[in-house]
Amino acid sequence: MPFLPPLTPPTELYLGIQLPNPISILVNYLPVSQTPIETLRNLVYSCDINTLAIDEFMTWPSLLQPGSPFWPYFEVLVERGSIPAVYLEGVRQASNFVTVAQGLSVMTTVALSDPFACFATGLFLTCTGNHLDFLPISEKFWEMTPTLEAGHAVAEMVMYHISQLHTENARRWERSWRFVHPPSCVGQCTFHHGCRVCFFYWYAREIA
């Protein structure tokens, strides 16, 4: 089932900073769009990057597009090595036909650590016909998501991100990309009743 986000994206994002207190732990929330970027950078670099949640970017990818008031903050997250942020930046670049190679390079850096990045990497490798590079990525993906149901849940989220991040111009994938090695089971399997062998192929057809 396709991922359906909440209807209205937030108008502001907040970076929560914990402040020690003799009695309790206080949290100060800084509005991202109104806080100087150097202040945000210092705060991001001073904390464990894995503790920073970026759920808003995962839910509303439009917030991370260049021109968004949150784009400078997102760039800092990518620079700092936030795995979800690196994944989204990879998808943003790969969804643009001109920068697909750069996007793949970005996603590959976190593909073995994150199921979304792993699927997205395998998906674009399938689209571009890089079968040999695809095989270990596919194997790793099924280690992370051992069931088809779990695989579809990840895949639908990635497809949602691609739909939100592709450029306005025609992607031209249908004219420029091809499937060099179609799975042997395609004649027996379908999108809704497939197997691990052809899983990426069916999703690749959705964007190619």
Side-chain angles (χ1 to χ4, degrees):
M1 179 179 297
F3 173 76
L4 298 176
L7 294 178
T8 306
T11 57
E12 183 59 270
L13 302 182
Y14 293 90
L15 178 60
I17 303 299
Q18 290 188 338
L19 303 174
N21 181 277
I23 301 176
S24 63
I25 298 297
L26 301 179
V27 179
N28 183 28
Y29 291 96
L30 299 178
V32 168
S33 68
Q34 301 175 41
T35 302
I37 189 60
E38 286 306 316
T39 300
L40 293 174
R41 176 176 281 107
N42 291 336
L43 292 172
V44 167
Y45 271 83
S46 67
C47 70
D48 181 351
I49 189 61
N50 296 317
T51 64
L52 288 180
I54 64 168
D55 294 344
E56 292 88 354
F57 289 125
M58 291 287 285
T59 305
W60 294 283
S62 60
L63 298 178
L64 62 86
Q65 293 281 33
S68 162
F70 311 115
W71 168 252
Y73 172 59
F74 178 76
E75 282 191 303
V76 171
L77 294 175
V78 174
E79 175 188 297
R80 180 69 170 85
S82 164
I83 290 177
V86 172
Y87 150 70
L88 287 170
E89 175 60 10
V91 169
R92 188 185 71 82
Q93 293 190 33
S95 296
N96 181 339
F97 179 81
V98 177
T99 56
V100 62
Q102 295 96 308
L104 269 169
S105 295
V106 171
M107 284 188 291
T108 299
T109 64
V110 294
L112 301 183
S113 305
D114 178 76
F116 298 106
C118 192
F119 175 80
T121 301
L123 180 68
F124 285 106
L125 288 173
T126 300
C127 288
T128 52
N130 293 311
H131 187 65
L132 293 180
D133 293 335
F134 161 77
L135 292 175
I137 292 295
S138 175
E139 181 178 350
K140 183 63 177 180
F141 177 72
W142 292 117
E143 290 179 8
M144 295 179 177
T145 54
T147 67
L148 283 172
E149 182 179 7
H152 279 298
V154 171
E156 291 297 342
M157 177 65 87
V158 172
M159 296 300 285
Y160 164 69
H161 290 153
I162 292 172
S163 74
Q164 296 296 302
L165 291 171
H166 73 76
T167 54
E168 293 181 2
N169 296 326
R171 287 173 282 183
R172 300 178 296 169
W173 295 344
E174 71 277 10
R175 297 197 300 273
S176 303
W177 295 5
R178 63 191 185 278
F179 305 109
V180 178
H181 297 279
S184 59
C185 59
V186 166
Q188 292 77 42
C189 292
T190 65
F191 181 90
H192 296 290
H193 300 283
C195 64
R196 293 185 178 188
V197 174
C198 60
F199 185 84
F200 284 85
Y201 171 82
W202 295 112
Y203 278 101
R205 284 177 60 98
E206 292 294 302
I207 65 170

